[in-house]
Amino acid sequence: MVYKLLTLVDWALIAGSLFNAIALLWLGLTVLLSAERRSWGTWLAGGGLLFGGTFFVGHTAVVGRVIGAFTGEMDFYWRTGWLVLIIAPYLWYLVMGWYSGVLRDRAARLKLIGVSLLGAVALLMALFVDPLPSYADLARPPLGPADLLSQTTLARLIYPGFAALCIVLALLSLRAPATSSDRFMGDLARQRARPWLLAASAVLLAIALAIGIASVWFLDQARAEIFPGLTARGIGMLIGFDFLICLLIAAAVVLIGQAVVAYEVFTGAALPRGELARQWRRALILGGVYAVAVGWSLSGAGIPGQPIYQLLIATVLMTAFLALVGWRSASEPSGGLARLRPFVASQNLYDRLLGPGGGGDDEPEAVFHALCGELLGARAAYLLPLGSLAEMAGPALAHPDGPIPDASAIIATIQATPTGHAPLCLPINPASHSGAGWAVPLRNDRGLIGVLLLGAKADGGVYTQEEIEVARAAGERLIDARAAAEMARRLVALQRRRIAESQVIDQRTRRVLHDEVLPQIHATLLQIADCRLPIDTQGGPHLQSAIANLQAVHRQISDLLHALPPAIGPDLARVGALGALRRAVDSDLGGAFDHVRWEVQAEAEAAARRLDPLSAEALYYAAREAVRNAARHGRGDTPGRQLTLTARAYAGSDPGGRPLLTVTIEDDGVGMGAVPTRADGGHGLALHSTLLAIMGGTLSIASAPRRATVITISMPLPTQQ
C-alpha cells in the first residue's frame, strides 16, 4: 500500500517536472522570438525562462529514475538545485525591476548593487566556503552539531534569505512602478499585468520560504541522524516535498505565462495578440497531457523499464495533438469569415441606386453596430470621416446612438504624425471623448480618411492586435463604401437630371423649329420673293418685314444654342485651369460683378499647369460653377446691390505633407441661406464636389444669410520628380 502511494506521488512529481520544463521552454523561446524590441531586459527575461526550463529538464532526468536508484551524478543535480535557489530569484528581481521601470532611479540602482553583492557572497559560500554535503555525506554519521540553531545551519540560512529578499524587492517594484513607460501602451499593459505578476511573485516567495525552512530542517536532521534516510518513509518525504514545490512552481509558471501572452509584458508588442494566447492555451494542454502520459510511463506505476513503449506513447500523443491543432486551424477561418460577413458581403448598391426610393440608407449604420457590438464587444465607438471623403461619407456614426465627441485634438495629433511612423492606435482620455479610450487612424492611398474611436470592451478585457487591425480595415472599408455609394447616387441622379434636361431641350428645340422658326423662314422666303416687284411700289415694306423675321429667327436659334450643355473650354489645356477661369470670368461673367479681384500666387499658377487634364477640368468647372452661383444669386432680391468677387489661389500642403492647390471663390453678396431654392435643386456644387472627390480633391462652403459666401476648392498636386 505504501509503495503504491509512493508510485502515485512519483508519477505526479515526474508529470509536474515535465510540465514545468515544457511551459518554461515555450515561454522563453516565445519571448525571444516574438519580441518586437530585444532590449537587455527582453534577453534577460527570455534567458531566465529558458534557464528555468533547462533546470527542469535536468530535474525530470533525476526524478524519472526508478524510486531509490541514486547514482554519482545525483550530487551534481543536488548542488545545482541550490545554485538555482540563488540565481532564479535574483533574475526575477532584475526582470521585475526592468519591467516596472524602477531601475531608472539612482536609489534603486544602488539597492540593486547591494543585492548583487549579497548574491555574490551567497554564491561563493555555496561553492567554496561552506560547500553543501553530497548525497553520500547524508548517509554517513553526523557531520557536526545536531542543534537546529547550530552555526553551520544558520550560515546556510543566507541562501533562502537571499531568495526571499529578491522576491520581496520584486514585489515592491511591482507595487510602485515608474510613472510612465517608454513602450507604446506600456502603462495599460503594466496595469493589467500587475495582478498576475504580483500573484506569481507571491507564489515564488512562498516557494523560497518553504525551500529555506525545509532545507535547513532537512540538513539538521541529516546531521543528527534523525532523518530516516533512504528508506520508504524518507524517500516519501523527499518526493512529497519535491512535488509540492513543483506544483507551486507550475502555478507561478501559469501566472507568468498569462501575463506574457495576455499583455505582452516582455515582448514589447503594442497590443496583445490573440493568436499568441491561443498558442499558449494549446501549449498548456499539450504540456499537461504529455506530462501525465509520459510521467506515468516513467514512474513505478507505469512501464519504466520499456523505453520503446515510452517513445511510442510520446509519438502517439504528438501525432494526436498535431491532428487536433490542424483541425482547429482549419475551422477557425470559417468562424472568422462568419463574424466578418457583414463587412465583406454585398452592399446591394444596385438596389439602393436604382430601386424605388433608393432605400438602404440605414445599412452602413447596421454594419457599424455589428462591428462594434458583436465583433469587438465595445461599450462605445465613433466613426468620424475625414479628408476628401468626409463630405460624401455622410455624418459620423455612433455606437450606441448618441452625440459625437469632439476629437479635433487627437485628429490634429494624428495628422501631424508621419504616415510611416503612425502607431496602430493612440490612447485618449475617455472623460473628454464620451467613453472612448482609443483612436484608430483610418487611411487609404490618399492619406487620412477617418478616425475610429473605441471605448473599453464590455467584458473588461483588452483589445488584441488582430481586433484592432480588423476594426481598422472594416472602418476604412465602411468609409470607402459609404463615399462610393454617395458618389454613385449623385452621378446617377445627375445622369437622370441630364437625361430629363436633354429630353426637354430636344422637345423644345423641335417645337421651336417646327412651330416658330420654320414658319417664319417660310414667310420670309415668300416676302423676299415678293421683293422682286419694284421697290417703290410694294417691295420696301416686304423687305423690312423679312429682315425683322430673320432677326427674330437668329435670336431664337441663339437662345437654343445657349441652352445646350457647354462644351469644354479650348483654353483649358493651353493656359491651365486658373488661366481658363480668368478668361471665362472676364469674357462671360465679368459684367455680373461691380469689382473682380484676383489674388493668385505665381506658384499656384505654375502648379495649376502641372495638373493632369481630368483634374484640371474638374477644378475649372467647379470654380466656374461657384462664380456663376455668385453672379446669379449674390444680389438676391436687390438688383442694384454692390457685388464684389474675389478669387484666390495658392499652393500649399495638407497636414500630412501632401502638396495641394487651393482655390477660393468669395463674394460679398447676400449669402446662400438668403437665396430661394434653385430650380435645379442645388445639385451643381454637389456634382462638382463628387467629381473633385473622385480626383482626390475637396469642396467646402462657408456661408451665412446676409454675409459673404466662401467656396474653397482643393486639389492634390502631382509629386515633382
Side-chain angles (χ1 to χ4, degrees), residues 217-558:
W217 175 85
F218 169 73
L219 290 175
D220 191 78
Q221 294 291 304
R223 288 178 178 276
E225 291 188 331
I226 302 175
F227 187 75
L230 301 181
T231 62
R233 179 169 172 267
I235 294 175
M237 293 176 63
L238 288 175
I239 294 178
F241 180 75
D242 198 359
F243 171 68
L244 176 62
I245 297 301
C246 195
L247 191 62
L248 290 175
I249 292 177
V253 169
V254 172
L255 293 172
I256 295 171
Q258 185 64 24
V260 170
V261 302
Y263 305 106
E264 304 278 355
V265 293
F266 300 141
T267 61
L271 289 171
R273 288 159 286 186
E275 180 61 27
L276 191 62
R278 287 190 290 270
Q279 294 293 341
W280 168 240
R281 290 193 294 269
R282 292 170 182 171
L284 290 180
I285 295 174
L286 171 64
V289 176
Y290 185 86
V292 170
V294 175
W296 171 82
S297 67
L298 293 175
S299 67
I303 44 177
Q306 302 292 333
I308 184 62
Y309 291 109
Q310 298 164 3
L311 179 62
L312 290 175
I313 290 174
T315 302
V316 171
L317 286 176
M318 297 301 294
T319 304
F321 184 78
L322 288 176
L324 291 174
V325 170
W327 169 68
R328 290 294 300 171
S329 300
S331 61
E332 283 174 359
S334 60
L337 183 60
R339 293 192 298 270
L340 294 177
R341 180 165 181 78
F343 316 106
V344 298
S346 171
Q347 302 296 316
N348 300 319
L349 185 60
Y350 181 85
D351 295 335
R352 294 170 61 187
L353 294 177
L354 303 181
D361 291 339
D362 58 342
E363 187 168 349
E365 287 79 358
V367 173
F368 180 68
H369 289 307
L371 168 67
C372 303
E374 300 177 12
L375 187 61
L376 300 178
R379 293 179 180 175
Y382 308 94
L383 181 64
L384 284 68
L386 301 172
S388 60
L389 299 182
E391 194 267 336
M392 279 170 298
L397 300 179
H399 170 80
D401 295 332
I404 304 298
D406 180 16
S408 55
I410 188 63
I411 291 173
T413 301
I414 295 174
Q415 290 175 335
T417 304
T419 304
H421 300 83
L424 189 61
C425 61
L426 293 173
I428 57 178
N429 184 12
S432 57
H433 294 87
S434 301
W438 305 103
V440 182
L442 308 177
R443 304 179 185 274
N444 62 8
D445 295 339
R446 297 175 178 176
L448 188 68
I449 62 172
V451 174
L452 176 63
L453 305 181
L454 292 175
K457 299 196 72 171
D459 58 2
V462 177
Y463 292 105
T464 64
Q465 181 174 340
E466 293 90 340
E467 287 177 330
I468 295 297
E469 290 176 348
V470 168
R472 181 178 63 178
E476 291 169 351
R477 186 179 186 277
L478 188 57
I479 290 179
D480 285 338
R482 294 180 72 191
E486 179 63 18
M487 284 184 189
R489 188 192 65 79
R490 291 185 182 183
L491 293 176
V492 168
L494 172 68
Q495 183 65 17
R496 288 172 174 171
R497 185 162 61 89
R498 293 302 187 198
I499 292 175
E501 291 176 352
S502 177
Q503 292 175 348
V504 170
I505 292 174
D506 182 66
Q507 293 175 1
R508 187 176 65 179
T509 302
R510 292 174 181 273
R511 180 184 60 79
V512 172
L513 290 176
H514 183 271
D515 297 342
E516 300 179 17
V517 175
L518 291 180
Q520 291 184 21
I521 293 177
H522 184 262
T524 301
L525 291 176
L526 294 177
Q527 292 173 356
I528 292 175
D530 292 340
C531 289
R532 295 175 182 175
L533 299 175
I535 296 179
D536 56 354
T537 57
Q538 297 179 354
H542 288 285
L543 183 59
Q544 295 297 327
S545 177
I547 293 174
N549 288 336
L550 288 176
Q551 290 175 344
V553 170
H554 178 270
R555 284 194 301 270
Q556 290 175 339
I557 295 176
S558 177

Side-chain angles (χ1 to χ4, degrees), residues 41-80:
T42 303
W43 286 106
L44 193 63
L49 292 170
L50 290 177
F51 173 75
T54 304
F55 167 76
F56 273 101
V57 169
H59 184 265
T60 305
V62 173
V63 300
R65 300 172 183 271
V66 178
I67 299 177
F70 298 100
T71 60
E73 64 186 37
M74 294 290 293
D75 187 55
F76 170 77
Y77 293 113
W78 166 254
R79 296 182 185 276
T80 302

Side-chain angles (χ1 to χ4, degrees), residues 629-636 638 641-643 667-671 675:
N629 284 346
R632 293 172 184 171
H633 310 291
R635 291 186 172 88
T638 309
R641 178 189 177 96
Q642 291 288 320
L643 186 61
D667 68 83
D668 58 354
V670 297
V675 179

